[in-house]
Amino acid sequence: MEKEKLWNSNYKKAMVGNFMLFFSFYILTPLLPIYLDAQFKADKDVMGLVLSGYVVAALLVRPFSGFIVDTFDRKRVLAICFFVFFILFTGYIGAGTLLLFAIVRTLHGLPFGAVTVANSTVAIDSLPSSRRNEGIGFYGLSNNLAMAFAPSVGIWIYNATDNFTLLFWIALATALTGFLTVTSIRLPKREKVKEKKPVSFDRFFLTRGWLLALNIICFSICWGIMSNYVAIYGKEVVGITDGTGLFFMILSFGLFASRIQGSKALAKGKIVENAAGGVLLSLGGYTLFSIVEHSWAYYLSALLIGLGNGHMYPAFLNMFIKLARNDQRGTANSSILTAWDVGMGLGIIAGGFLLEYISYSAAFWGAAVMQGAGTLLFFFATRRFFEERRLDRN
């Protein structure tokens, strides 16, 4: 029997739009602590508060985003939110004070949170049901690669030009490209639900997946610490001034390799196995990063963390989807992203305070400990929790 087509035009456009969304956002991420220090002389704990603002905003809007994309026209919701996301990049260029910058950064989290939910739901709608596991795995490549590759580009441009304004304009142009791409998506009209179910909490958060969400929070705390402070750590502790871009390039290679291999495993239904391998690889990476303050460990940990997250995240996304009804896909997407936001915000804030008042070592040991806690939770509870509750069991 011939396989249904995976790489249809709508799916590819959703992937390109998602890549541009995350690229425009994360080209600035590792450099913003340096920018806040150079431009506003901000302390590291203040940096943590300012940088976590977008996560808080995204966290507030994502549960409602899931409900909205499950209720209204998904394409229209996606286009409106992507446009607002794009236009807010002009705020970074005009922000002349730390307070204005903090306001813009926080406001930017609102459309960012909504677009990520809407776009991933549109991508899932574009996939044939027989290839959904595989397609979700490949879709995650677009944002994971952007999150790893964009910082490399940003750091390279900054080192070459020492010009933050140029970076803000590049982010603006990239976001515009993503907006134009998703507006060309053509989805078939969804049938209107005749019997509207009463609005309840599980329309905003997938309550069936609460333990998976807790597990994701543990893992995203680690990512929040590492992705936001690795550049300034490399510069001030390891003595690497131009190598942070290489760190993210190696990270992106790990993500790409594990996504390709992992998507094949997901297509065979090996979801739990994919997640298990991913959390163990990530644990090795964060632990190595914390124990050894040397350039070889710095780069090897990037590879391990990339390989681990490339296996882990798409597996968890598939797990969320398999706990949800067909009319809860938006809710499932928003739930995993909400959990990721909670952890990211906690990681950014905790990392900033640990850096300011204790040491870099304490911050990254905190990441390793949280990854260890998440690993134990997964093997001793989450695996069984998922298998007992998945809706596709025969």
Side-chain angles (χ1 to χ4, degrees):
M1 185 176 177
E2 190 177 344
K3 280 187 176 182
E4 293 180 275
K5 186 177 180 181
L6 172 65
W7 297 99
N8 61 73
S9 61
N10 287 328
Y11 177 65
K12 288 187 285 188
K13 288 174 183 176
M15 284 192 69
V16 170
N18 196 50
F19 178 84
M20 295 298 177
L21 171 80
F22 278 87
F23 189 96
S24 62
F25 206 72
Y26 282 92
I27 194 173
L28 305 175
T29 297
L31 292 166
L32 288 181
I34 297 172
Y35 175 74
L36 294 177
D37 178 51
Q39 188 75 10
F40 304 115
K41 308 299 180 188
D43 295 329
K44 291 183 179 66
D45 54 340
V46 175
M47 288 181 195
L49 292 172
V50 171
L51 297 177
S52 65
Y54 89 90
V55 181
V56 174
L59 174 61
L60 291 174
V61 77
R62 269 185 173 150
F64 300 99
S65 302
F67 173 75
I68 290 168
V69 299
D70 281 337
T71 307
F72 300 101
D73 184 89
R74 288 170 179 170
K75 162 72 182 301
R76 187 172 299 173
V77 171
L78 174 59
I80 292 170
C81 294
F82 213 128
F83 177 78
V84 177
F85 171 80
F86 144 69
I87 209 69
L88 274 174
F89 274 106
T90 59
Y92 295 113
I93 300 168
T97 67
L98 182 60
L99 177 60
L100 279 175
F101 187 93
I103 291 171
V104 171
R105 187 66 175 172
T106 301
L107 288 175
H108 214 175
L110 296 172
F112 180 75
V115 173
T116 48
V117 173
N119 200 71
S120 57
T121 308
V122 165
I124 292 169
D125 282 349
S126 304
L127 290 167
S129 58
S130 64
R131 306 197 68 180
R132 190 164 290 142
N133 288 359
E134 185 182 5
I136 290 172
F138 279 119
Y139 176 80
L141 265 177
S142 57
N143 57 281
N144 278 156
L145 285 178
M147 288 169 69
F149 185 61
S152 305
V153 175
I155 290 165
W156 181 82
I157 293 172
Y158 171 69
N159 287 334
T161 65
D162 195 25
N163 189 335
F164 279 104
T165 303
L166 175 62
L167 284 167
F168 294 145
W169 278 108
I170 291 172
L172 178 71
T174 307
L176 174 60
T177 305
F179 166 70
L180 295 174
T181 302
V182 300
T183 54
S184 65
I185 293 174
R186 296 288 180 267
L187 290 179
K189 286 190 175 182
R190 294 162 61 209
E191 290 184 14
K192 291 185 178 180
V193 180
K194 294 180 181 179
E195 288 186 26
K196 289 192 176 181
K197 296 181 180 179
V199 177
S200 58
F201 183 70
D202 68 354
R203 301 296 289 165
F204 299 95
F205 181 82
L206 192 68
T207 53
R208 287 178 59 83
W210 67 269
L211 188 59
L212 274 72
L214 182 60
N215 221 157
I216 283 290
I217 288 171
C218 294
F219 298 139
S220 58
I221 286 174
C222 314
W223 188 273
I225 295 172
M226 186 275 295
S227 63
N228 282 270
Y229 301 111
V230 68
I232 199 166
Y233 166 81
K235 182 179 179 182
E236 296 186 6
V237 176
V238 187
I240 299 173
T241 54
D242 298 326
T244 309
L246 179 59
F247 178 94
F248 282 103
M249 286 295 289
I250 294 171
L251 186 71
S252 68
F253 173 78
L255 286 166
F256 183 80
S258 60
R259 286 281 187 169
I260 296 298
Q261 191 275 329
S263 291
K264 295 177 182 177
L266 289 174
K268 297 176 182 177
K270 296 181 179 179
I271 298 173
V272 174
E273 295 87 344
N274 238 31
V279 299
L280 289 172
L281 282 167
S282 294
L283 177 61
Y286 284 113
T287 304
L288 178 64
F289 194 97
S290 305
I291 292 174
V292 184
E293 292 182 357
H294 195 278
S295 57
W296 70 265
Y298 184 80
Y299 294 124
L300 179 56
S301 65
L303 178 62
L304 292 173
I305 293 169
L307 289 169
N309 275 270
H311 279 295
M312 178 187 70
Y313 190 87
F316 266 84
L317 178 56
N318 265 289
M319 289 161 75
F320 269 89
I321 296 296
K322 290 186 179 298
L323 293 183
R325 303 188 307 267
N326 288 341
D327 64 336
Q328 288 183 308
R329 286 177 190 162
T331 304
N333 272 289
S334 69
S335 297
I336 187 172
L337 290 167
T338 297
W340 187 265
D341 285 343
V342 171
M344 278 281 288
L346 291 172
I348 294 170
I349 294 171
F353 275 89
L354 289 171
L355 261 63
E356 179 68 20
Y357 296 110
I358 305 179
S359 66
Y360 283 97
S361 178
F364 290 109
W365 263 114
V369 168
M370 286 309 303
Q371 181 69 31
T375 301
L376 291 174
L377 180 62
F378 175 78
F379 280 102
F380 287 101
T382 305
R383 288 192 303 175
R384 185 174 67 253
F385 178 90
F386 166 68
E387 294 292 358
E388 290 174 351
R389 292 176 173 235
R390 59 190 301 176
L391 298 180
D392 64 335
R393 286 185 301 169
N394 293 325

